[in-house]
Amino acid sequence: MDNAMAAVLYPLPQDARRDPDQWNAAWELMDMGNDLDTSLFAYQMFVSNTCAIQRNITEEALRHFARDDFEAKWVGAGADVRGRHILGAMAAVCSKARNLNDARCYCPELRLMRLRLDGKVFLDLLKTVMHEDASFIPSQPIFVPHPGWDAWAAEQRKLNHSEAQKITLAEIMILRTKLICHVVQFTMRSFFGEDPPELIVQKNQEKPKLPTTPHPALAAVFGREIATARRQDDIAGIKALRAQRRNHCSYLACTKIEADDTKFSQCKPCFQKMQRRVLYCSVTCQRADWKLRHKAICGKPLDFETASQVIEHPATASTSHTRIGLPINGYKRSIALTAQVTALNRKPTVDYQLYKANNDPVDIDFGAGTYPQIRFRQARDTAMTTGDPNSVARIAHYLCACFLSGMVKDDSLRAIKPNSIVAQLAREFVLNDLRDLVLGMQRLQNKDPLRRPPLLSDAPPDLWASLDKDVSLSKVVVTLD
């Protein structure tokens, strides 16, 4: 770890005596905060942006895994193809900002040889930064685990560090995760021939003057003429990077970027009291961010704990906050189940999504506020947060019974059969014995005097009679060929 940290090219102490102006300009070019609050605010933006990036990665990966057979195509692409996409992604990302380029010394995961030779290594890295639900921007990023860095961070947390030391250490951990996330997303986009995502680098409020004279050490090694030419190339590169920088809306659910002909509004209290640049593209975004996050910090000093917190955001401004919760008790959702949860949280009126043979989704709705919907959602949410096999079997059996009973009137959905329903849920919940569990549910229904499906086994007789009157679920027998 010491070697990695030493690789950061900070201005040298002797430069402070030799040429104070150049030494100071070099420090300012590193985008170091001019005070603790600036550093804390920058860290908060790193955390917030990383949360948003990971949400986007999850959404894109779910689509490619489900529809494009990403895993098989990537593994089968060959080392040269994989290497070309990964190298292009790393170069594209690291050329955008100095802190991202320097962060590569913190990322042993980004070893090109290892990533290109074994396709599963990249896929594992991708899955590491995927969240359990892509319908919301999460409240905390997933920090990419690494034995060495994790042990180092754990040791540092035991020490009684100052706020400045805490934020410096935290920046290392978030920047390495942020860089890895960018590289993963750029690689995935490149592999599928898609345009790279907009990597937003915020404009500097001030542009430090660039020293035109070459560094004495370069002049001593290469001669003044070559060193001067190199310095001119450096200046041209820095100016090119500055030209790419754009202001973006501070509301995480918004992706708008300030154009030359439009100027975003600035939060006056933050700028006047704390010299922070908090920008919004519209009053709508400003009000939404105020309720979710900005009210607590507007014009106020930050501390490390506050800067480390991100308030959960909807992925879009219209997303409902009523949703299936995150997994508990160590349960890990499959990619297929994560896609299902994301779809349901984006459509809170839908109870489940089944898929036709061509993978087109079908929305299943048991009626808002009805007893079957209430019971179905209770079992569904338990299944999706704990992986409880009994809950999975109950919802699978009930879905099969509904299709067999003729409850679904749409002729285009008749192709969905009990076998395909059970196969889909078995894949989503990774339950190889789901078929036997569903047949077990049918045996329980057969034993019930009123022949109620296990999902509705506690329905009072009068209520069950009214429910069964139109659809005759009591007469349905779920069999699986």
Side-chain angles (χ1 to χ4, degrees), residues 419-462:
N419 283 326
S420 62
I421 294 173
V422 172
Q424 176 185 323
L425 270 71
R427 183 173 63 255
E428 291 173 345
F429 290 94
V430 195
L431 284 175
N432 295 329
D433 60 345
L434 182 58
R435 180 181 181 278
D436 294 336
L437 294 174
V438 170
L439 294 177
M441 290 294 158
Q442 182 58 50
R443 289 192 290 271
L444 289 177
Q445 180 178 356
N446 295 340
K447 293 178 181 179
D448 185 85
L450 301 179
R451 289 191 55 80
R452 294 167 294 190
L455 185 75
L456 308 179
S457 60
D458 58 353
D462 291 345

Coordinates of all heavy atoms in Angstrom, one line a residue, residues 419-462:
N419 N -45.5 -24.8 -16.7 CA -44.1 -25.2 -16.7 C -43.1 -24.0 -16.9 O -42.1 -23.9 -16.3 CB -43.8 -26.2 -17.8 CG -44.3 -27.6 -17.5 OD1 -44.2 -28.0 -16.3 ND2 -44.8 -28.3 -18.4
S420 N -43.5 -23.1 -17.8 CA -42.7 -21.9 -18.1 C -42.7 -21.0 -16.9 O -41.7 -20.3 -16.6 CB -43.2 -21.2 -19.3 OG -44.5 -20.7 -19.2
I421 N -43.8 -20.9 -16.1 CA -43.9 -20.0 -14.9 C -42.9 -20.6 -13.9 O -42.1 -19.8 -13.3 CB -45.3 -20.0 -14.4 CG1 -46.2 -19.2 -15.4 CG2 -45.3 -19.3 -13.0 CD1 -47.7 -19.3 -15.0
V422 N -43.0 -21.9 -13.6 CA -42.1 -22.5 -12.6 C -40.6 -22.4 -13.0 O -39.8 -22.1 -12.2 CB -42.5 -24.0 -12.4 CG1 -41.5 -24.7 -11.5 CG2 -43.9 -24.0 -11.8
A423 N -40.4 -22.6 -14.3 CA -39.0 -22.5 -14.8 C -38.5 -21.1 -14.6 O -37.3 -20.9 -14.2 CB -38.9 -22.9 -16.3
Q424 N -39.3 -20.1 -14.9 CA -38.9 -18.7 -14.7 C -38.5 -18.4 -13.2 O -37.5 -17.8 -12.9 CB -39.9 -17.7 -15.2 CG -39.6 -16.2 -14.9 CD -40.6 -15.3 -15.3 OE1 -41.4 -15.5 -16.3 NE2 -40.8 -14.2 -14.5
L425 N -39.4 -18.8 -12.3 CA -39.2 -18.5 -10.9 C -38.1 -19.3 -10.3 O -37.3 -18.8 -9.5 CB -40.5 -18.7 -10.1 CG -41.4 -17.5 -10.0 CD1 -42.1 -17.1 -11.3 CD2 -42.4 -17.6 -8.9
A426 N -37.9 -20.5 -10.9 CA -36.7 -21.3 -10.4 C -35.4 -20.7 -10.8 O -34.5 -20.7 -10.0 CB -36.8 -22.7 -11.0
R427 N -35.4 -20.1 -12.0 CA -34.2 -19.4 -12.4 C -34.0 -18.1 -11.6 O -32.9 -17.8 -11.2 CB -34.4 -19.0 -13.9 CG -33.1 -18.3 -14.5 CD -33.3 -18.2 -16.0 NE -34.4 -17.3 -16.4 CZ -35.5 -17.8 -16.9 NH1 -35.7 -19.0 -17.1 NH2 -36.5 -16.9 -17.2
E428 N -35.1 -17.4 -11.3 CA -34.9 -16.1 -10.6 C -34.5 -16.3 -9.1 O -33.6 -15.6 -8.6 CB -36.3 -15.3 -10.6 CG -36.6 -14.8 -12.0 CD -38.0 -14.2 -12.1 OE1 -38.8 -14.4 -11.1 OE2 -38.3 -13.5 -13.0
F429 N -35.1 -17.4 -8.5 CA -34.8 -17.6 -7.1 C -33.7 -18.7 -6.9 O -33.4 -19.1 -5.8 CB -36.1 -18.0 -6.4 CG -37.0 -16.9 -6.2 CD1 -38.0 -16.7 -7.1 CD2 -36.9 -16.0 -5.1 CE1 -38.9 -15.6 -7.0 CE2 -37.8 -14.9 -5.0 CZ -38.8 -14.7 -5.9
V430 N -33.2 -19.2 -8.0 CA -32.2 -20.3 -8.0 C -32.6 -21.4 -7.1 O -32.0 -21.8 -6.1 CB -30.8 -19.7 -7.5 CG1 -29.7 -20.7 -7.8 CG2 -30.5 -18.4 -8.1
L431 N -33.8 -22.0 -7.4 CA -34.4 -23.1 -6.7 C -34.6 -24.2 -7.7 O -35.6 -24.3 -8.4 CB -35.7 -22.7 -6.1 CG -35.7 -21.8 -4.8 CD1 -37.1 -21.4 -4.4 CD2 -35.0 -22.6 -3.7
N432 N -33.7 -25.2 -7.6 CA -33.7 -26.3 -8.6 C -34.9 -27.2 -8.3 O -35.3 -28.0 -9.1 CB -32.4 -27.1 -8.6 CG -31.2 -26.2 -9.1 OD1 -31.4 -25.4 -10.0 ND2 -30.1 -26.5 -8.6
D433 N -35.3 -27.3 -7.0 CA -36.4 -28.2 -6.6 C -37.8 -27.5 -6.6 O -38.7 -27.9 -5.9 CB -36.1 -28.8 -5.3 CG -35.9 -27.8 -4.2 OD1 -35.8 -26.6 -4.5 OD2 -36.0 -28.2 -3.0
L434 N -37.9 -26.3 -7.2 CA -39.2 -25.6 -7.2 C -40.3 -26.4 -7.7 O -41.4 -26.3 -7.2 CB -39.0 -24.2 -7.9 CG -40.3 -23.3 -7.8 CD1 -40.7 -23.0 -6.4 CD2 -40.0 -22.0 -8.6
R435 N -40.1 -27.2 -8.7 CA -41.2 -28.0 -9.3 C -41.8 -28.9 -8.2 O -43.0 -29.0 -8.1 CB -40.6 -28.8 -10.4 CG -41.6 -29.8 -11.1 CD -41.0 -30.6 -12.2 NE -42.0 -31.4 -12.8 CZ -42.4 -32.6 -12.4 NH1 -41.9 -33.1 -11.2 NH2 -43.3 -33.3 -13.0
D436 N -40.9 -29.6 -7.4 CA -41.4 -30.4 -6.4 C -42.2 -29.6 -5.3 O -43.2 -30.1 -4.7 CB -40.3 -31.2 -5.7 CG -39.7 -32.2 -6.7 OD1 -40.4 -32.6 -7.7 OD2 -38.5 -32.5 -6.5
L437 N -41.6 -28.4 -5.0 CA -42.3 -27.6 -4.0 C -43.7 -27.1 -4.5 O -44.6 -27.1 -3.6 CB -41.4 -26.4 -3.7 CG -40.1 -26.7 -3.0 CD1 -39.2 -25.4 -2.9 CD2 -40.3 -27.3 -1.6
V438 N -43.8 -26.8 -5.7 CA -45.1 -26.4 -6.3 C -46.1 -27.5 -6.2 O -47.3 -27.4 -5.8 CB -45.0 -25.8 -7.7 CG1 -46.3 -25.6 -8.3 CG2 -44.2 -24.5 -7.7
L439 N -45.6 -28.7 -6.6 CA -46.5 -29.9 -6.5 C -46.9 -30.2 -5.1 O -48.0 -30.6 -4.8 CB -45.8 -31.1 -7.1 CG -45.6 -31.0 -8.6 CD1 -44.8 -32.3 -9.1 CD2 -46.9 -30.9 -9.4
G440 N -46.0 -29.9 -4.1 CA -46.3 -30.0 -2.7 C -47.4 -29.0 -2.3 O -48.3 -29.3 -1.5
M441 N -47.4 -27.8 -2.9 CA -48.5 -26.9 -2.6 C -49.8 -27.3 -3.1 O -50.9 -27.1 -2.5 CB -48.1 -25.5 -3.3 CG -46.9 -24.8 -2.6 SD -47.4 -24.3 -0.9 CE -45.7 -24.1 -0.2
Q442 N -49.8 -28.0 -4.3 CA -51.0 -28.6 -4.8 C -51.6 -29.6 -3.9 O -52.8 -29.7 -3.7 CB -50.8 -29.1 -6.2 CG -52.1 -29.7 -6.9 CD -53.1 -28.6 -7.0 OE1 -52.9 -27.5 -7.5 NE2 -54.4 -28.9 -6.5
R443 N -50.7 -30.4 -3.3 CA -51.2 -31.5 -2.4 C -51.8 -30.8 -1.1 O -52.8 -31.3 -0.6 CB -50.0 -32.4 -2.0 CG -49.6 -33.3 -3.1 CD -48.6 -34.4 -2.6 NE -47.3 -33.9 -2.2 CZ -46.3 -33.7 -3.0 NH1 -46.4 -34.1 -4.3 NH2 -45.2 -33.2 -2.6
L444 N -51.3 -29.7 -0.7 CA -51.9 -29.0 0.4 C -53.2 -28.4 0.1 O -54.2 -28.5 0.9 CB -50.9 -27.8 0.9 CG -49.6 -28.2 1.6 CD1 -48.8 -26.9 1.9 CD2 -49.9 -28.9 2.9
Q445 N -53.4 -28.0 -1.1 CA -54.7 -27.5 -1.6 C -55.7 -28.6 -1.6 O -56.9 -28.5 -1.2 CB -54.6 -26.8 -3.0 CG -56.0 -26.3 -3.4 CD -55.9 -25.6 -4.8 OE1 -54.8 -25.4 -5.3 NE2 -57.0 -25.1 -5.3
N446 N -55.2 -29.8 -2.1 CA -56.1 -30.9 -2.2 C -56.7 -31.3 -0.8 O -57.8 -31.8 -0.6 CB -55.4 -32.1 -2.8 CG -55.1 -31.8 -4.3 OD1 -55.7 -30.9 -4.9 ND2 -54.1 -32.6 -4.8
K447 N -55.8 -31.1 0.2 CA -56.2 -31.5 1.6 C -57.1 -30.5 2.3 O -57.8 -30.8 3.3 CB -55.0 -31.7 2.5 CG -54.1 -32.9 2.0 CD -52.9 -33.0 2.9 CE -52.0 -34.2 2.5 NZ -50.7 -34.3 3.3
D448 N -57.1 -29.3 1.8 CA -57.9 -28.2 2.4 C -59.4 -28.5 2.1 O -59.8 -28.7 0.9 CB -57.5 -26.9 1.8 CG -58.3 -25.7 2.5 OD1 -57.8 -25.3 3.5 OD2 -59.3 -25.3 2.0
P449 N -60.3 -28.5 3.1 CA -61.7 -28.8 2.9 C -62.4 -27.8 1.9 O -63.3 -28.3 1.1 CB -62.3 -28.6 4.3 CG -61.2 -28.8 5.2 CD -60.0 -28.3 4.5
L450 N -61.9 -26.6 1.8 CA -62.4 -25.6 0.9 C -61.6 -25.5 -0.4 O -62.0 -24.7 -1.3 CB -62.5 -24.2 1.5 CG -63.4 -24.1 2.8 CD1 -63.3 -22.7 3.4 CD2 -64.8 -24.6 2.5
R451 N -60.6 -26.3 -0.5 CA -59.7 -26.3 -1.7 C -59.1 -24.9 -2.0 O -59.1 -24.5 -3.1 CB -60.4 -27.0 -2.9 CG -60.6 -28.5 -2.7 CD -61.0 -29.1 -4.1 NE -60.1 -28.8 -5.2 CZ -59.0 -29.4 -5.4 NH1 -58.6 -30.4 -4.6 NH2 -58.2 -29.1 -6.4
R452 N -58.7 -24.3 -0.9 CA -58.1 -23.0 -1.1 C -56.6 -23.1 -1.5 O -55.9 -24.0 -0.9 CB -58.2 -22.1 0.2 CG -59.6 -21.7 0.5 CD -59.7 -21.2 1.9 NE -59.4 -22.2 2.9 CZ -59.6 -22.1 4.2 NH1 -60.0 -21.0 4.7 NH2 -59.3 -23.1 5.0
P453 N -56.1 -22.4 -2.4 CA -54.6 -22.4 -2.7 C -53.9 -22.0 -1.4 O -54.4 -21.2 -0.6 CB -54.4 -21.4 -3.8 CG -55.8 -21.2 -4.4 CD -56.8 -21.4 -3.3
P454 N -52.7 -22.6 -1.1 CA -52.0 -22.3 0.1 C -51.8 -20.8 0.3 O -51.7 -20.3 1.4 CB -50.7 -23.0 -0.1 CG -51.0 -24.2 -0.9 CD -52.1 -23.7 -1.9
L455 N -51.7 -20.0 -0.8 CA -51.5 -18.6 -0.7 C -52.7 -17.9 0.0 O -52.5 -16.9 0.7 CB -51.3 -18.0 -2.1 CG -50.9 -16.5 -2.1 CD1 -49.5 -16.2 -1.6 CD2 -51.2 -15.8 -3.4
L456 N -53.9 -18.5 -0.2 CA -55.1 -17.9 0.4 C -55.7 -18.8 1.4 O -56.9 -18.8 1.7 CB -56.1 -17.7 -0.8 CG -55.6 -16.9 -2.0 CD1 -56.7 -16.7 -3.0 CD2 -55.1 -15.5 -1.5
S457 N -54.9 -19.6 2.1 CA -55.4 -20.7 3.0 C -56.1 -20.1 4.2 O -56.8 -20.8 4.9 CB -54.3 -21.6 3.4 OG -53.2 -20.9 4.1
D458 N -55.8 -18.8 4.6 CA -56.4 -18.2 5.7 C -57.6 -17.3 5.4 O -58.1 -16.6 6.2 CB -55.4 -17.4 6.5 CG -54.7 -16.3 5.7 OD1 -55.0 -16.2 4.5 OD2 -54.0 -15.5 6.3
A459 N -58.1 -17.4 4.1 CA -59.2 -16.7 3.7 C -60.5 -17.2 4.4 O -60.7 -18.4 4.4 CB -59.4 -16.7 2.2
P460 N -61.3 -16.4 5.1 CA -62.5 -16.9 5.7 C -63.4 -17.5 4.7 O -63.4 -17.1 3.5 CB -63.2 -15.6 6.3 CG -62.0 -14.6 6.4 CD -61.1 -15.0 5.3
P461 N -64.3 -18.5 5.1 CA -65.1 -19.2 4.1 C -66.0 -18.3 3.2 O -66.1 -18.5 2.0 CB -66.0 -20.1 5.0 CG -65.1 -20.3 6.2 CD -64.4 -19.1 6.4
D462 N -66.6 -17.2 3.8 CA -67.4 -16.4 3.0 C -66.6 -15.6 2.0 O -67.1 -15.5 0.8 CB -68.2 -15.4 3.9 CG -69.2 -16.0 4.8 OD1 -69.6 -17.2 4.5 OD2 -69.7 -15.4 5.8

